[in-house]
């Protein structure tokens, strides 16, 4: 499995009434033909003074994997997720997401 890419997300995430976070996604790829694998994780950051604070760490937004015998028999699984911010706050700091 290799690191396939790092990308700053073009979406912004309204995480509170007055704060916006930005995302960084990291992609991984496996080269096995009989056991394919790919994965994409999202981390969110907010600016705090002169630094960045990570508020979400390595949340899997895409995952694909499978096992195949190289002939005819195999199974594969693919999952894709997205973040949707709600107006509810569990910890009174940032909006929940679902």
């Amino acid at each position: 499995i290799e690191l396939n890419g790092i990308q700053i997300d073009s979406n912004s995430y309204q995480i509170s009434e007055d704060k916006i976070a930005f995302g960084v996604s990291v992609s991984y790829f496996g080269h096995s033909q009989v056991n394919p694998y790919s994965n994409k994780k999202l981390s969110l950051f907010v600016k705090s003074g002169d630094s960045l604070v990570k508020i979400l760490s390595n949340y899997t937004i895409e995952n694909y994997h499978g096992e195949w015998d190289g002939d005819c028999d195999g199974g594969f699984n693919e999952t894709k997720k997205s973040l949707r911010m709600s107006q509810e706050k569990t910890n009174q700091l940032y909006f929940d997401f679902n």
Side-chain angles (χ1 to χ4, degrees), residues 13-47:
Y13 299 88
Q14 187 78 40
I15 59 167
S16 71
E17 291 84 357
D18 61 346
K19 285 204 182 249
I20 295 176
F22 72 93
V24 174
S25 60
V26 179
S27 301
Y28 301 92
F29 181 77
H31 291 278
S32 172
Q33 291 183 4
V34 294
N35 296 311
Y37 174 83
S38 65
N39 184 277
K40 187 174 188 179
K41 296 180 181 290
L42 175 69
S43 294
L44 295 181
F45 297 85
V46 293
K47 186 174 179 186

Side-chain angles (χ1 to χ4, degrees), residues 1-11 13 23-29 37-43 57-64 79-82:
I1 296 174
E2 73 176 38
L3 175 64
N4 195 40
I6 299 173
Q7 182 176 8
I8 296 175
D9 195 342
S10 61
N11 294 325
Y13 299 88
V24 174
S25 60
V26 179
S27 301
Y28 301 92
F29 181 77
Y37 174 83
S38 65
N39 184 277
K40 187 174 188 179
K41 296 180 181 290
L42 175 69
S43 294
S57 184
N58 297 322
Y59 180 75
T60 299
I61 56 174
E62 293 181 14
N63 193 45
Y64 176 77
T79 305
K80 291 187 179 190
K81 300 177 185 178
S82 61

